Amino acid sequence: MKKLLFQLDTDEQPSSFDTVVAYDGGADHVVSYASICPENVKPIIEGTIFTRSPKEKKNTALFVGGSNLEAGQSLFHAIQKQFFSNFRVSLMLDSNGANTTAAACIALLTKNHTITGMNAVVFAGTGPVGQRAAVMLAKEGANVTITGRQLDKTQKVADAIESHFSVKVTPLAAPELIDRKKIAENMDIIIATGAAGIQILDAKTWQDSSRIKLLADANATPPSGIEGIEVMDRAVDRFGKISFGAIGFGTLKLALHRKCIEKLFESNSLVLDANEIYALAKDMVKD
Ligand code: NAP
């Protein structure tokens, strides 16, 4: 029986990245839909849950993607509302690669470091990757701050994180470099998840700090999000701090994304969001 993955994208054009990884993760056929939202998803879900027998249902799976995490989350929840008894198929949420990217980054960061009680900041943490990185750091017991250029947007993101994941993160506005330098003074961990090609922090701030221990930068497009961190860094010692760059953890991100797709076809009841994907990432980085 063919393994079918229905790629439900909230954008007008489905992500070709997600399509490729779906095949690489083991799908025999990927059906990509664009502009999917809670209002138009019903017939697609009915077609996936009412067709195959209970034993065969694990060969059908759903993937929710797109650039907007909020839209992805709404769709993800609407889909689950349609499931009942065994009329369900496995489902994964990874809007803009948020879960797999953040999980790879934080799993590597915490592989050899216990971060409970540490202060962590996710600079430009209002995007999909930053939001999920904040959740995972908080679940590890860190005191997490997220920043954005506007307080109201950052506050909304912090509220959404609390309502979805029951963890508190502190929202701060940091529109200028000087604001981020000040915040960095009290941090043990610095994560930058700014938009591609946006420099968020200068080199001097972290290189001169006696407090900062761990740094990660998700941006792979020059200039780097944290000046002085190289994209290939993977637990590199720089100025006595351990550094991770976007490609340094990007290889794990890709492997994790593929692993998630593979797992979707193992049963018809798997639901993969931040917690489950982070657990898988932690498992993959175990020695
Ligand atoms: P995003 O949504 O594009 O941007 C994140 C945040 O950056 C935005 O919410 C915004 O926050 C801030 N921002 C945007 N333009 C800015 C500007 N001109 N100056 C200062 N801040 C600005 O990012 P994402 O999708 O979460 O991805 C985060 C990063 O991870 C990106 O660089 C992406 O390319 C990278 N990525 C890496 C991998 C990997 O495997 N390494 C995978 C996926 C993504 P405010 O509006 O609140 O200020």
Side-chain angles (χ1 to χ4, degrees), residues 96 101 124 126-130 148-149 153 193-196 198 218-219 246 249-250 253:
N96 242 22
T101 306
T126 53
V129 176
R149 286 169 294 177
K153 176 178 169 186
T193 55
I198 301 292
N219 167 33
F249 62 78
K253 176 245 149 53

Side-chain angles (χ1 to χ4, degrees), residues 182-195:
K182 185 104 194 94
I183 292 166
E185 281 173 15
N186 297 317
M187 295 296 157
D188 305 290
I189 302 167
I190 307 266
I191 313 284
T193 55

Side-chain angles (χ1 to χ4, degrees), residues 26 65 80 90 93 103 114 137 146 151 167 238 262 271 276 280:
Q80 288 173 78
S90 287
L93 172 65
T114 303
L137 288 164
I146 59 166
L151 186 58
V167 291
R238 292 192 184 276
E262 190 187 313
V271 177
E276 299 77 17
L280 267 174

Side-chain angles (χ1 to χ4, degrees), residues 54 64 110 181 226 260 264:
V64 172
T110 56
K181 285 168 86 69
I226 302 177
C260 290
L264 291 177

Side-chain angles (χ1 to χ4, degrees), residues 8-27:
L8 310 179
D9 204 300
T10 56
D11 290 354
E12 286 177 9
Q13 201 165 29
S15 155
S16 55
F17 182 101
D18 290 339
T19 310
V20 173
V21 183
Y23 280 108
D24 293 348

Side-chain angles (χ1 to χ4, degrees), residues 66-70 94-99 102 124-134 193:
S67 58
N68 185 326
L69 180 59
E70 217 182 332
D94 203 24
S95 298
N96 242 22
N99 282 324
T126 53
V129 176
Q131 292 186 40
R132 289 311 205 239
T193 55

